[in-house]
Amino acid sequence: MAEALLSCSHVAKRFVSRGKTTEVLRDVNLAVDANQIVVIQGRSGTGKSTLLQILAGLDRPTTGRVQIAGRSLEDLTARELTLLRRQTTGFIFQNLNLIPSWTAGQNVEAALLHARLTRSQRRQRVQDMLERLELGDRIDYLPSELSMGQQQRVAVARALIHAPLLVFADEPTGDVDPETAQSIVERLVGLVRDNGTALVVCTHGELPSGIPNQHYLLHDGITTPA
Amino acid sequence: MTLQYAWCELRRRKARTLITVLGYALAVSSMMVLVGILQASGQSGAEILDHTGTHFVVFSPADMAACGPCLAVANSQIRSEGLVAFGTRANLMPLAFVEKIKGLPTVADAAPYLQYRFQDPNDGHLYTIGGFDPNNAMVVGTTCCAATDVIAGRFLRGSDKGQVLVEQAYAQLRRLKVGDTVPVAGQHFRVLGIVNAGIRPARADLYLPYPQAQRLVAARLPNVPLAGYTNLILVEVKDSSVQDQAIREVKSLYPDLVISSYACYRPAAQARAINTAALALLTVAIAVFTILLAMVSQLAVLVERRRDFGILKTLGFSNGRIMGQIVLESVLQAALGALVAGALVASLLPSVLWRWLVSLGVPASGIQWPWLCLLAIPLSLAGGLLAGLFPAFWVSHERPSRLLRCF
């Protein structure tokens, strides 16, 4: 059996703040294959964002093990983790996290800054990606000048522009109406399918219908296949 | 893109950037003015202190065994008369000693001085004459008498003949005034001026040019070859910090000679060292204070922007690149501050600042403003670099998840 692109076993995460310990994740186990779409569903406050950040190497688990492309994240140095984030993964944040002083084009281009591309090649790729997401004419707009749905698409473009193996999306449709949500998810799924990218999505609701995926439920710090 | 982002960020936070840049500008311009004032007052103070007590006289007492080439001189026929130095009889020293001492690296100048004690044949009172080169203001002025000591009449010139300067106390004692005639060893001299030379080491009652003093003494000591000899050497040292060294050097050249000096060069040298240290300390204190203020400002900005850096780390920006980004922004602000400070000082200098400094008694002409303006740029940039380093290190080494949790 082929090794999963992403796997985690017995992951737990505890936060200690002002002497109080909060156990957010207790025992998370999941596996994601290449090109697979995995949805992790759970109510607000169940630790979905924390789990996604641990899986993407943005945080470290208190216990347990996460592997991406056969490499255990806990064994990676800071430099190797940086390279992993730069080349292997993409991330769509719950609140988008676009840099407000950068234009849409600059926000997307930031993910390509370390690629071996000339400035004009970078600009061309950004232009192509934004056009695919129907934002070609908004390349020089600041995030504050875009609608929420357009910002969402810029965030999608930034996560996928460097053709990562794995994209993490934290509530990608959280702040938009159902129609826009459907449109964003369709575009996201279309892009990951085209690129051969695996997608891990966390959501507190339902994903728009018609998208085949592997489903997990996160409840009380434990994941269970749905 | 790094520079572009830095510039975007500075523009995005216009008010904070303006405050930080103004902070740098005020600190740097204050430093420029303060360092300028300290430099000018330090220089003028150092010039005074450098030459406080920086002189001594060298002689060979007659009761000592005459040093090698020195010449012991028999008393003149009049028993109380003779070559003297510091009230004691003195030997003659070859003029070559003067040249040798003048050649020492710590010595600014040296000159011969002929001092002789005469006895008045009418009432028997004793008085001394001092012969020197009136054109040598540097060494004569500090050890013997100077033009600034004249309280009536004028100072000697090399070409003056038949004229003497009279020490104030002697003039009072003999009731002499400018233009009077005074008898010296059977000859008559006109009083050219009256001086108060204080307690200088080669003080005498009457002063006259060296050749004339030599002729007067030669008349009393007809068999002594005065032409190649002198009985006192006046020495001026380069500055108070090397006075001890100069004395040691002369002593090692001529161990049998006696060196007499004021000890006031010691506190002068100490005071100079204290002033220099205080200047350096104050400058460093201002620099540290400026950097700390800039660092606090930089930290405040970064606290607001931690989330942005979390995003960049998520996108694969390395710690080094994030550090570079933060430091670049800090240095950019410092550079802008330096430019504003330069413009501020340059525009205020001719009108307000100059008059203010002069009214405070600061010798503003001694301030090297162009150099200070140039110095402000690297100083400010270094400040910006230092102010940015710690916050940059702190933010760049945080985990992305921690930075992303900051709102």
Side-chain angles (χ1 to χ4, degrees):
Chain A
M1 185 178 155
E3 192 177 36
L5 176 64
L6 164 72
S7 67
C8 75
S9 55
H10 308 297
V11 164
K13 181 72 178 177
R14 283 186 290 276
F15 291 101
V16 179
S17 175
R18 291 187 292 162
K20 286 178 276 188
T21 302
T22 310
E23 193 168 40
V24 178
L25 302 173
R26 289 167 58 203
D27 186 21
V28 175
N29 300 282
L30 58 83
V32 180
D33 295 329
N35 306 326
Q36 192 182 15
I37 295 174
V38 169
V39 177
I40 301 168
Q41 210 172 8
R43 292 169 63 182
S44 297
T46 51
K48 298 186 298 296
S49 296
T50 301
L51 173 61
L52 222 52
Q53 290 187 357
I54 288 171
L55 296 179
L58 305 181
D59 203 354
R60 290 194 185 273
T62 309
T63 56
R65 201 170 183 82
V66 178
Q67 279 193 320
I68 292 181
R71 301 183 72 189
S72 175
L73 297 193
E74 66 184 355
D75 298 334
L76 299 184
T77 61
R79 166 100 189 121
E80 287 168 332
L81 268 176
T82 297
L83 286 176
L84 179 96
R85 292 180 207 129
R86 193 182 290 176
Q87 295 164 350
T88 313
T89 62
F91 207 103
I92 301 166
F93 294 96
Q94 181 173 9
N95 38 18
L96 307 180
N97 279 341
L98 299 177
I99 293 181
S101 56
W102 289 5
T103 63
Q106 287 170 335
N107 265 287
V108 178
E109 193 183 350
L112 282 181
L113 277 182
H114 301 92
R116 292 179 191 278
L117 296 172
T118 63
R119 185 178 161 77
S120 60
Q121 286 172 324
R122 279 203 313 263
R123 297 295 288 179
Q124 189 55 53
R125 275 179 67 171
V126 170
Q127 183 71 44
D128 292 346
M129 176 60 88
L130 287 177
E131 273 170 11
R132 285 181 73 179
L133 289 160
E134 295 173 23
L135 287 170
D137 57 342
R138 295 287 189 271
I139 191 163
D140 292 323
Y141 281 50
L142 290 174
S144 58
E145 296 164 338
L146 299 172
S147 69
M148 187 53 75
Q150 287 169 330
Q151 289 182 45
Q152 207 92 332
R153 280 180 275 156
V154 173
V156 169
R158 185 177 64 182
L160 285 157
I161 186 81
H162 57 299
L165 291 175
L166 186 57
V167 168
F168 299 92
D170 190 2
E171 305 278 11
T173 58
D175 292 325
V176 290
D177 59 85
E179 200 176 318
T180 309
Q182 177 77 34
S183 154
I184 288 167
V185 170
E186 280 173 4
R187 284 195 171 98
L188 175 61
V189 169
L191 283 168
V192 297
R193 289 264 187 263
D194 291 350
N195 290 350
T197 304
L199 175 67
V200 180
V201 184
C202 272
T203 179
H204 62 271
E206 295 284 337
L207 267 194
S209 57
I211 298 165
N213 55 62
Q214 169 76 45
H215 230 88
Y216 286 92
L217 283 176
L218 179 62
H219 178 69
D220 205 17
I222 297 170
T223 47
T224 48
Chain B
M1 188 145 182
T2 306
L3 186 64
Q4 197 181 359
Y5 176 48
W7 186 240
C8 277
E9 280 307 315
L10 295 184
R11 278 174 46 201
R12 178 155 73 112
R13 294 169 166 81
K14 285 190 185 74
R16 187 179 280 280
T17 302
L18 190 70
I19 289 166
T20 309
V21 167
L22 283 180
Y24 272 112
L26 281 175
V28 170
S29 51
S30 307
M31 271 181 79
M32 283 162 70
V33 172
L34 261 175
V35 171
I37 292 171
L38 289 169
Q39 180 203 8
S41 60
Q43 261 176 13
S44 61
E47 272 168 26
I48 296 164
L49 291 173
D50 271 353
H51 299 100
T52 301
T54 55
H55 39 263
F56 54 84
V57 296
V58 182
F59 63 98
S60 169
D63 55 349
M64 286 175 67
C67 69
C70 292
L71 200 64
V73 179
N75 289 341
S76 78
Q77 289 178 339
I78 303 166
R79 193 163 173 73
S80 306
E81 292 191 355
L83 292 160
V84 290
F86 272 84
T88 62
R89 289 184 179 277
N91 293 324
L92 285 171
M93 297 173 290
L95 284 175
F97 281 19
V98 180
E99 293 307 313
K100 195 103 177 182
I101 290 171
K102 207 189 275 190
L104 291 171
T106 50
V107 169
D109 201 3
Y113 183 71
L114 194 64
Q115 195 170 35
Y116 195 87
R117 185 168 62 207
F118 287 102
Q119 186 168 30
D120 188 288
N122 297 321
D123 60 8
H125 82 268
L126 299 173
Y127 60 96
T128 53
I129 62 153
F132 58 78
D133 176 7
N135 295 325
N136 190 335
M138 182 197 271
V139 67
V140 170
T142 52
T143 53
C144 184
C145 67
T148 50
D149 298 332
V150 174
I151 54 174
R154 69 163 173 84
F155 196 67
L156 277 173
R157 293 189 191 121
S159 57
D160 287 331
K161 285 184 179 134
Q163 301 184 98
V164 289
L165 287 177
V166 184
E167 183 65 43
Q168 187 186 17
Y170 187 72
Q172 278 185 7
L173 187 73
R174 309 304 300 172
R175 299 182 194 288
L176 295 171
K177 54 186 186 300
V178 174
D180 285 355
T181 301
V182 58
V184 183
Q187 292 186 37
H188 285 85
F189 288 83
R190 197 172 74 84
V191 176
L192 181 65
I194 294 172
V195 293
N196 184 341
I199 49 165
R200 293 208 172 90
R203 189 176 184 273
D205 294 318
L206 300 163
Y207 303 101
L208 61 170
Y210 196 93
Q212 291 190 45
Q214 208 174 33
R215 274 197 290 278
L216 285 175
V217 175
R220 285 292 208 266
L221 304 169
N223 301 319
V224 176
L226 285 171
Y229 290 91
T230 188
N231 71 327
L232 264 164
I233 300 171
L234 314 177
V235 182
E236 180 66 29
V237 177
K238 280 187 175 155
D239 66 66
S240 56
S241 65
V242 293
Q243 171 92 351
D244 276 333
Q245 196 187 336
I247 290 172
R248 278 198 303 274
E249 285 172 358
V250 173
K251 203 74 190 158
S252 74
L253 273 178
Y254 307 115
D256 293 330
L257 299 185
V258 170
I259 295 169
S260 282
S261 165
Y262 291 134
C264 59
Y265 72 91
R266 288 203 176 101
Q270 266 180 341
R272 194 188 166 212
I274 290 165
N275 282 354
T276 309
L279 173 72
L281 203 68
L282 191 60
T283 310
V284 169
I286 296 168
V288 168
F289 187 65
T290 308
I291 290 167
L292 281 177
L293 274 181
M295 196 183 281
V296 168
S297 165
Q298 195 65 20
L299 266 173
V301 171
L302 291 186
V303 165
E304 286 174 15
R305 289 176 52 201
R306 277 180 295 179
R307 194 176 178 82
D308 285 3
F309 292 112
I311 298 167
L312 294 181
K313 290 193 90 164
T314 305
L315 294 176
F317 278 57
S318 62
N319 292 354
R321 183 145 188 175
I322 286 172
M323 269 189 82
Q325 182 72 49
I326 296 167
V327 170
L328 178 68
E329 286 174 30
S330 178
V331 168
L332 266 179
Q333 290 179 102
L336 287 172
L339 288 178
V340 175
L344 204 67
V345 172
S347 60
L348 288 179
L349 187 62
S351 51
V352 185
L353 213 54
W354 192 274
R355 264 181 284 161
W356 178 64
L357 291 178
V358 171
S359 73
L360 285 177
V362 176
S365 58
I367 302 175
Q368 306 288 318
W369 292 109
W371 284 111
L372 276 180
C373 287
L374 279 180
L375 183 72
I377 296 169
L379 203 72
S380 186
L381 292 183
L385 185 72
L386 285 174
L389 270 179
F390 167 69
F393 185 84
W394 166 61
V395 166
S396 66
H397 286 77
E398 275 281 19
R399 275 186 207 167
S401 58
R402 287 178 66 94
L403 295 171
L404 288 165
R405 272 196 287 271
C406 302
F407 286 94

